[in-house]
Amino acid sequence: MNSASGFGKPTSKEACFKLRILPECHAEMMFYVHESSVEVSGMGRVEIIDGEAVVTKIYLLEQENGPSSTDIDPDALAKLMYESREDKGALNFWWHSHVNMPVFWSG
């Protein structure tokens, strides 16, 4: 399979995409993950810096959490979208933990 379907190396016609997470953003996400006994999720801002997509800010929002699911409160997300509308970058990074589960495709 090719990378367009999520597996394997990209073909010559496919672009490679690299996402870098700033160390302080990674540390913040890991703090939230390690402090929770259930799955947790949040959002983040991505900026293009020197041609590279970089996660520059992490947000933890009100949410309903379970052992294998997380639902961000729509009102909290709408509030974040409005309050951060002037911030640099795009609010298009969704992250979540898998708590005590192995890594697998999420959707």
Side-chain angles (χ1 to χ4, degrees):
M1 289 189 215
N2 62 34
S3 66
S5 62
F7 300 97
K9 294 182 180 180
T11 66
S12 60
K13 293 183 180 182
E14 293 177 323
C16 292
F17 182 80
K18 182 177 181 181
L19 177 70
R20 184 167 57 96
I21 302 173
L22 292 180
E24 57 269 27
C25 292
H26 183 262
E28 187 175 353
M29 283 189 299
M30 290 295 95
F31 174 80
Y32 297 139
V33 168
H34 292 291
E35 289 297 313
S36 180
S37 61
V38 294
E39 189 162 348
V40 63
S41 66
M43 299 297 295
R45 279 213 175 265
V46 177
E47 294 180 52
I48 304 300
I49 301 173
D50 296 327
E52 184 177 50
V54 182
V55 177
T56 57
K57 177 78 175 149
I58 293 298
Y59 303 96
L60 183 68
L61 302 166
E62 288 292 322
Q63 56 195 270
E64 294 288 326
N65 307 77
S68 62
S69 65
T70 169
D71 291 308
I72 293 176
D73 180 78
D75 291 335
L77 182 56
K79 182 178 178 182
L80 173 63
M81 290 170 68
Y82 179 77
E83 291 179 350
S84 68
R85 68 190 181 284
E86 301 294 327
D87 294 351
K88 290 182 185 178
L91 187 64
N92 60 2
F93 179 67
W94 172 65
W95 59 271
H96 69 278
S97 66
H98 278 208
V99 191
N100 299 315
M101 299 178 294
V103 177
F104 57 91
W105 295 112
S106 299

